[in-house]
Amino acid sequence: LADQNPYNKKLLQSYIDERLGAGQNFLYRQLPDSARSEFAAVLNKMPGDTDALHYLINLESADSNYTAAISYTDSALKYHPASETFMMKKASLLADNKQYHEAATYADSLLKLYPSNIKAKALAFDLKTRNLSHQIGINYTYTFFGDRNVKPWNLASVFYQKTTNWGSYDGRLDFADRNNNAGLQLEAESYINHSPKYYSYVGVAFAHSIIFPKFRAAYSLTHNFQKGWEGELGFRYLDLDSSNDFSFTAAAGKYFSDYWVNLRAFISPQNQKIYQAYRLTLRYYYDDAKEDYISAIIGSGTSPDDRSRYFEFARRFSLPSANVALGYQKLIKAKNIIGILASWTNQEIEKGVR
C-alpha cells in the first residue's frame, strides 16, 4: 500500500514502523543480515529516518565495518547536519578506523558546537595523547624476600617508544642485580596493525649475563572479535645458560562496560613433561582516558614474559608458584603517566622448599 500511495503519510509511517519492528525482532533473534535488510528498506522510503540509521551504524560498527558505518553517519548528517549524536558517532568511528587525525579534527568541530559534550571531550583528549608519537619512560622493580638472608633484587628499565600509523615500536635497556651479579639486557618490540581486526606483537632481546636469557624471541597474533572479545595465539623462546625454553601462549580477553578481563596461558613442553603457567588480569578504567585504570592480577606458574623472574628461570619455571598483584595507573596533564604495581609471590625454590 505504501508503494501504491507514496504521498499518504499515514500509510508511509505505518510501513516504516512495521519494517523497524521487524528489524528489531531480527536483532533480538540474532539475525543481523535480515535486520539490515529491514532497516535498508526503511531508508529506501525515508532516507533520513534516525532510527534506521542508528541501527545500521551500530550493526556495521559491531562487525568492525567502520567504512560502511561512517558512510551511514555521513548520510545521517546530510539530513541532520547539526545532530550532536551523529557527529559524536562519526568522530568515534573515525577513531575506531584508525583515522586519528580526521577523528581529532572532527571532535574539535563537535566541541565548538557542543562544548559541554563529555564524551567528545574524552575522545579529543584520548586522540591528543595518541597523537603524541614519541614516548620515553622509566620502570623500576624492587623485590624483597621473606628470608632475610637473601638480598633484595633490583630491576630498572629505560625505554623509548615511537607510534606510527601502522603501529608502534620501542627499544628498552634493562639493568638488574641478583645475588651479587649484575647484567644488562637490550630489547626491541613492535606492535603491527594488519587490519582493524588483526595485529601482531614481535619482540627480541639480547644479553650477556646469567641474570637474563642470552636471547629472547616472542610473537603473538591477536584477533578482535565482535562484542568486545579478543583472542591471541603466539610463542615465547628463551635461550638460557643451561637449557632452552619454548612456550606456546594463548589468551582470551573481553571489554565490557568500564572493565577489561584477560586470561592467558603458557604451555612449555620440556623433558617429556608439560609445564603450565596462567595469569588472570582484571582492569577497571575509572576515567575516560584509556591509561587510567586499577588492575588486579592472579597467577600460577612462572611466566616467560615476567622480566623480574628471568634469573634461574630454567631451574624454577618447573616448580610450583602462585602470585597476586594490585596496580594503579594515572595519566597526568595528557603527557605523563605514573603507575605502581605491588605483587606477592609464593615460589617453591627447591622441591618441597618455599
Side-chain angles (χ1 to χ4, degrees), residues 16-32:
I16 288 173
D17 291 341
E18 183 180 341
R19 298 277 68 78
L20 286 173
Q24 292 170 342
N25 189 309
F26 284 129
L27 284 179
Y28 179 78
R29 293 161 58 191
Q30 298 185 349
L31 298 170

Side-chain angles (χ1 to χ4, degrees), residues 20 38-40 42-43 46 49-57:
L20 286 173
E38 296 296 337
F39 299 136
V42 172
L43 294 185
M46 189 175 288
D49 186 87
T50 56
D51 290 329
L53 286 164
H54 275 300
Y55 282 121
L56 286 167
I57 290 168

Side-chain angles (χ1 to χ4, degrees), residues 105-119:
T105 301
Y106 204 83
D108 288 340
S109 299
L110 171 57
L111 285 171
K112 288 178 182 178
L113 290 175
Y114 304 100
S116 61
N117 188 306
I118 296 175
K119 290 185 177 180

